[in-house]
Amino acid sequence: ITFKEDFGTAGRAGYFDTSGIIRDVMQNHLLQILCLVAMERPVSVDASDIRDEKVKVLKFIKPIELDDVVIGQYVGNPDGKTDDARTGYKEDPGVPADSKTPTYAMAKMHIDNDRWAGVPFILKCGKALNERKAEIRIQLQHLNLMKLRITQIIQEEYPIYHPSSQAVYCKMNVKSPGMSFNTVESELNLSYHDRFEGLDLPDAYERLILDFILGSQTNFVRTDELAEAWRIFTPLLHKLDAGQKEPVQYVYGTRGPAEADKFIGDLGFKFSSTYKWTEKK
């Protein structure tokens, strides 16, 4: 579950340095998405039933330890095309020179119930990265198909893009045309803007304001849900505030710390840059 921004803290550094990326994004926004992905089907679409299921998910998650996270802090890119890109986090007005506030974080969690036992959930968020993107990416386990003489198998995934692109697609392997048994990457794609032409989708805050007016509490956090969320993150945040883990530097405009790629790889996630999205003509 990823939230990436391609800009730094320009204009918000004073506030951001007192919170950091975990409090700002991960503990609330990304954890909400995790609950929606992992929860069981509610009894109804009533707000209480949906929030009951979200709380059940959180109760199965243990507090995060220091070894469960990679944190980073961006430095300026000398080759950056803008002043913002050339400015490191500590060079932003309002940020102390010795600040250890993370601008990037990756954390792993396990939901210790029957459905999700052994499946790592990876939350990732950061500023000053290579792109602006919010997505859920469900990666299936790799199958050994050597006996079928099929060797060019790429990891199958179900990416869900949110909120701007409004797309869900399945990245899959299909047999290449002709006599060969080789496979190629393709997708089953649902893009709202392509499927529903002329559709005007409200943004997140428009939805919440309408929910408030209508008295719908579905998308608002309940007290017990909030308490469970802080139970998971508070011990980690106290250790980070005490300086028990140093943020790793990464350059503005990159994918983040190299340590994060190793961290996610050790959990079984396979990053593939071979897939090419084909735009509709």
Side-chain angles (χ1 to χ4, degrees):
I1 300 173
T2 301
F3 181 82
K4 300 170 70 175
E5 292 179 324
D6 58 358
F7 53 88
T9 57
R12 295 182 65 231
Y15 155 75
F16 188 87
D17 198 66
T18 63
S19 57
I21 196 69
I22 295 176
R23 289 184 177 94
D24 192 39
V25 177
M26 184 178 287
Q27 181 273 338
N28 39 52
H29 300 293
L30 297 194
L31 196 62
Q32 285 290 301
I33 299 299
L34 181 148
C35 289
L36 293 173
V37 171
M39 74 180 193
E40 298 294 328
R41 187 184 70 179
V43 175
S44 74
V45 294
D46 182 77
S48 295
D49 291 331
I50 292 174
R51 296 195 290 180
D52 283 344
E53 295 302 328
K54 290 165 65 181
V55 172
K56 288 179 184 178
V57 171
L58 295 176
K59 286 181 178 293
F60 279 110
I61 301 175
K62 296 177 181 178
I64 303 173
E65 301 290 342
L66 283 176
D67 290 341
D68 297 331
V69 297
V70 173
I71 57 172
Q73 188 182 90
Y74 71 86
V75 296
N77 187 341
D79 300 323
K81 296 180 180 180
T82 65
D83 289 340
D84 189 46
R86 292 187 291 270
T87 303
Y89 176 70
K90 292 181 181 178
E91 298 166 336
D92 207 346
V95 177
D98 59 349
S99 174
K100 296 181 180 180
T101 300
T103 60
Y104 175 99
M106 176 183 288
K108 70 171 180 179
M109 299 180 183
H110 284 90
I111 302 172
D112 295 325
N113 60 15
D114 291 340
R115 182 181 297 279
W116 298 110
V119 178
F121 282 75
I122 302 160
L123 276 57
K124 177 173 65 174
C125 52
K127 291 185 172 295
L129 298 173
N130 60 326
E131 59 183 335
R132 187 174 185 177
K133 181 169 68 173
E135 73 169 13
I136 305 161
R137 182 174 295 266
I138 301 170
Q139 189 172 95
L140 305 183
Q141 291 189 19
H142 199 66
L143 296 178
N144 184 358
L145 300 177
M146 292 294 290
K147 291 184 179 180
L148 298 178
R149 295 182 297 162
I150 301 175
T151 58
Q152 299 178 8
I153 294 292
I154 306 300
Q155 207 78 18
E156 293 190 343
E157 296 178 323
Y158 294 90
I160 303 170
Y161 287 107
H162 164 84
S164 57
S165 54
Q166 301 280 0
V168 180
Y169 72 91
C170 170
K171 190 178 81 174
M172 60 188 303
N173 297 279
V174 299
K175 180 184 174 299
S176 60
M179 302 296 291
S180 170
F181 276 95
N182 290 334
T183 60
V184 294
E185 289 178 277
S186 187
E187 77 281 335
L188 296 176
N189 172 33
L190 168 61
S191 175
Y192 271 64
H193 292 287
D194 291 338
R195 178 64 180 83
F196 306 103
E197 295 183 3
L199 187 65
D200 183 19
L201 295 172
D203 65 27
Y205 287 106
E206 287 178 313
R207 293 174 187 270
L208 285 178
I209 292 172
L210 179 60
D211 286 345
F212 172 76
I213 293 171
L214 297 176
S216 173
Q217 297 180 325
T218 303
N219 292 314
F220 292 86
V221 179
R222 204 167 61 189
T223 304
D224 55 346
E225 184 179 349
L226 186 63
E228 287 297 326
W230 283 116
R231 175 188 62 79
I232 294 168
F233 278 95
T234 296
L236 170 70
L237 289 169
H238 285 172
K239 292 174 184 177
L240 294 179
D241 291 343
Q244 295 185 27
K245 195 179 188 77
E246 293 282 337
V248 181
Q249 290 187 346
Y250 65 96
V251 177
Y252 191 118
T254 61
R255 296 183 60 247
E259 287 82 352
D261 288 335
K262 182 181 185 305
F263 179 85
I264 199 171
D266 290 344
L267 294 174
F269 182 86
K270 294 180 172 59
F271 175 75
S272 171
S273 59
T274 59
Y275 179 71
K276 303 298 181 184
W277 178 269
T278 302
E279 295 287 348
K280 289 185 64 176
K281 297 182 179 179

